[in-house]
């Protein structure tokens, strides 16, 4: 009894039959939005908060348009929200500084 030649193996990089496909890669703009949003809240304020808002919204739109081919929606949303928080904190800091309630002189004397 001869069954002939066996079928060829699946192409390199493709999943085996019955196995799930490759996980969706994260959108690069989503990663950058999250990093910039964190930096904006911690130390940089407007300088990284505004780009975090822009990149976060762009990443959300790209992820939605990809139909599941890209991941990172949570990172994009977090970066977007952290960017908004950074800008709001920057505005509050400017208002407090201009009103005199917050002083950045670095002096420790109280007299």
């Amino acid at each position: 009894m001869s069954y002939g030649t066996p079928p060829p193996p699946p192409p390199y990089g493709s999943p085996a039959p019955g196995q799930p496909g490759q996980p969706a890669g994260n959108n690069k703009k989503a990663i950058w939005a999250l990093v910039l949003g964190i930096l904006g809240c911690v130390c940089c304020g407007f300088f990284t908060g505004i780009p975090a808002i822009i990149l976060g919204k762009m990443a959300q739109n790209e992820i939605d348009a990809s139909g599941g081919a890209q991941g990172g929606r949570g990172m994009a949303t977090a970066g977007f929200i952290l960017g908004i928080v950074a800008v709001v904190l920057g505005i509050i800091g400017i208002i407090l500084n201009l009103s005199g309630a917050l002083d950045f002189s670095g002096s420790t004397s109280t007299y």
Side-chain angles (χ1 to χ4, degrees), residues 1 3 7-12 17 27 30-31 38 40 42-43 45 53-54 65 67-68 71 74 82 88 94 104:
M1 239 192 227
Y3 292 106
Y12 179 74
N27 185 297
I31 297 169
I38 292 170
V42 172
C43 63
I53 293 169
I54 295 168
L82 287 172
V88 168
I94 288 173
F104 293 115

Side-chain angles (χ1 to χ4, degrees), residues 31-68:
I31 297 169
W32 276 107
L34 180 61
V35 169
L36 291 173
I38 292 170
L39 284 174
C41 287
V42 172
C43 63
C44 300
F46 291 113
F47 299 110
T48 59
I50 293 172
I53 293 169
I54 295 168
L55 285 175
K57 195 61 179 169
M58 288 172 62
Q60 286 175 342
N61 292 338
E62 288 177 9
I63 291 167
D64 291 343
S66 73

Side-chain angles (χ1 to χ4, degrees), residues 93-103:
I94 288 173
I95 291 170
L96 290 175
N97 191 16
L98 292 176
S99 69
L102 186 63
D103 186 16

Side-chain angles (χ1 to χ4, degrees), residues 3-31:
Y3 292 106
T5 61
Y12 179 74
S14 65
Q19 302 243 338
Q22 293 283 341
N26 288 327
N27 185 297
K28 302 294 183 206
K29 289 179 184 172
I31 297 169

